[in-house]
Amino acid sequence: MESRAVLFDRTGGPEVLRLEKVTLAEPGPGEVLVRIDAIGLNRGEALFRSGGYWYEATLPGSRLGGEAAGEVVAVGPGVAEVAPGDAVSVLAVGTTMSGSGVYGDHAVVPASTLLPRPADMDALTGAAVWLSYLTAYGALVEVGKVAPGDHVVVTAASSSVGVAAIQIVAALGGVPVAVTRSADKEAQLRAAGAAHVLVADGGPDVAAKVREVTGDAGARIVLDSVAGPGLADLATLVARGGTLIVYGWLDPRPAPLPRNWPLNIWGYALYALVEDPEALRRGQAFVHAGLRDGTLAPLIDRTFDLEEIVEAHRHMEANGQVGKIVVTVRH
Ligand SMILES: NC(=O)c1ccc[n+]([C@@H]2O[C@H](COP(=O)([O-])OP(=O)(O)OC[C@H]3O[C@@H](n4cnc5c(N)ncnc54)[C@H](OP(=O)(O)O)[C@@H]3O)[C@@H](O)[C@H]2O)c1
C-alpha cells in the first residue's frame, strides 16, 4: 500500500529526516500492518539518527521510531494475538528501527512489539506511556526494589523516563530527589511529585546538593541516564546496600569506574523486561493500576504534526522539555 514514512539516508542532525511516500509490503509471517495515530519520541531515536546509538541504522532509506499508538489494519500469516480493528500500542526495543520504524502514517511491525490498548486509553497516552514508564518501573521496582521512605535520586529528571520515575517513586512512598540543569523546570518537577528539586550540572555539583538532602546516609537508589565524568561522584551518594542504576549516556564522554566499593552498579536496559513475559506482565499491570488511580499520568510536553518531524527532533535536542514529546498523525 502507499504510505508516508520518515526516512534518512545518512546519520546527522534533525535535518537529515525527510517525510516521503513509500510503498509498504503486505505483512509477512508474524507481522502486523498498523495505522499510526500518535508517535512517542525518545532520545534513543535522536542517537540512532545521529549515529550514537547501541546499534547502527541500515542506510540509505532507514526508518525511525520505536513507540506509537494506533490500530491494526491487517495481520500476516500466523498472527493470532491481534486482529484488524484492535487498538494497540507499539513498543519496539530490539534492532528493528531501520526496517519497521513507526515514524509514518502506517508501519509493518513484528506482532511481538504490540501491546493491547484499552478502550479508555487514547492514542496520545498510548504513544506516551509504555517506553518511559516500563523503563522506570523495571529499573526502580524490579531491579532497585524501591521501598517506602527510600531516597531515590533521579538525574535528567525532566526527561520522559525521569518524570515517570518521579511519579513511580512517589506512588510507592519513596522520596524522589529530582536533578535538572534548568531552574525553570523546578515547578513542573515538583508538580510531578518530586520531594526535592536540585538544579545542578555535573557530578560534583549534584553530589554536594544531594548530600544536603540525604545527609551522610545517602540514597538507596541513584537512577542515572547522564553517565559521563560525573558518574564517580554520583556513585558516592549510594547508601550501603543501595544501587547505582545507569540506563543512558546523555553525556557521551567516558565515565570513570566508581571506586567507593562495595557498590552495586546496574547497567539497565528495558529490553531485559520486555523479553521476560512475566516481568512485562507485572510492569503492564503496575502501570495500568497507576493510570487508573491517577498516581501515574504521562506528562505531555508538546505535540507536533508528522510533517513537523524535523522541528520535533530539534525541540527534543534543545533540552527544554519536561516529559514526553508526541507526534500526531492526520489521516
Ligand atoms: N536503557 C534503557 O532501556 C533506556 C530506555 C529509555 C531511555 N533510555 C535513555 O534515557 C535517557 C533519557 O531518555 P528520554 O527519551 O526520556 O530523554 P528526553 O525526554 O529527551 O530528556 C532529556 C532530558 O535530559 C536532560 N539532559 C540532556 N542532556 C543532558 C546532559 N548531557 N547532562 C545532563 N542532563 C541532560 C535535559 O534536561 P535538563 O537539561 O533540564 O537537565 C533533557 O530535558 C536517554 O539517555 C535514553 O537513551 C534508556
Side-chain angles (χ1 to χ4, degrees):
M1 66 170 283
E2 286 298 299
S3 154
R4 287 177 310 144
V6 173
L7 303 176
F8 61 108
D9 295 331
R10 59 184 171 87
T11 55
E15 70 283 353
V16 301
L17 302 178
R18 58 190 162 82
L19 184 61
E20 275 219 353
K21 283 203 175 113
V22 295
T23 304
L24 273 183
E26 296 284 308
E31 291 182 335
V32 177
L33 172 65
V34 180
R35 187 194 73 219
I36 306 292
D37 295 331
I39 302 160
L41 296 203
N42 294 287
R43 187 59 67 121
E45 290 141 26
L47 293 172
F48 189 67
R49 186 213 70 221
S50 60
Y53 204 43
W54 61 274
Y55 71 99
E56 284 178 15
T58 306
L59 299 171
S62 175
R63 295 180 67 116
L64 186 59
E67 186 175 28
E71 192 178 293
V72 172
V73 176
V75 301
V79 174
E81 52 273 60
V82 289
D86 285 358
V88 290
S89 292
V90 184
L91 175 66
V93 295
T95 54
T96 56
M97 262 200 287
S98 278
S100 17
V102 296
Y103 285 15
D105 59 17
H106 289 79
V108 174
V109 301
S112 58
T113 65
L114 297 181
L115 300 175
R117 184 159 58 87
D120 60 353
M121 186 186 281
D122 61 20
L124 218 57
T125 306
V129 69
W130 292 116
L131 204 141
S132 347
Y133 283 78
L134 287 179
T135 299
Y137 163 84
L140 293 167
V141 179
E142 299 273 340
V143 174
K145 311 225 176 307
V146 62
D150 285 350
H151 281 94
V152 178
V153 175
V154 179
T155 64
S158 62
S159 66
S160 60
V161 180
V163 170
I166 290 168
Q167 291 181 1
I168 288 173
V169 172
L172 294 173
V175 185
V177 181
V179 181
T180 175
R181 300 177 300 181
S182 318
D184 55 2
K185 295 181 178 178
E186 180 168 351
Q188 277 175 286
L189 292 173
R190 278 196 194 280
H196 306 274
V197 179
L198 310 179
V199 180
D201 188 4
D205 197 17
V206 175
K209 290 192 171 153
V210 170
R211 273 202 198 86
E212 288 171 21
V213 171
T214 63
D216 288 339
R220 259 264 305 134
I221 300 172
V222 175
L223 180 66
D224 178 52
S225 61
V226 178
L231 194 69
D233 295 292
L234 280 185
T236 65
L237 299 171
V238 180
R240 183 66 63 88
T243 310
L244 170 62
I245 303 172
V246 186
Y247 71 100
W249 54 88
L250 284 164
D251 184 340
R253 293 175 294 169
L257 178 69
R259 296 258 174 89
N260 56 316
W261 301 352
L263 172 70
N264 303 317
I265 309 180
W266 194 286
Y268 180 78
L270 173 60
Y271 194 73
L273 183 95
V274 170
E275 70 176 2
D276 174 346
E278 267 308 295
L280 179 59
R281 185 194 57 74
R282 287 192 295 272
Q284 282 178 265
F286 178 89
V287 174
H288 278 303
L291 292 173
R292 269 197 308 273
D293 71 18
T295 51
L296 308 182
L299 185 58
I300 309 286
D301 168 73
R302 192 168 155 190
T303 61
F304 290 85
D305 291 335
L306 183 59
E307 290 74 13
E308 302 173 306
I309 192 66
V310 171
E311 288 75 23
H313 265 233
R314 285 201 178 112
H315 178 66
M316 175 159 57
E317 292 185 308
N319 294 322
Q321 71 270 53
V322 179
K324 193 82 175 180
I325 303 161
V326 178
V327 168
T328 54
V329 185
R330 273 174 289 164
H331 294 279

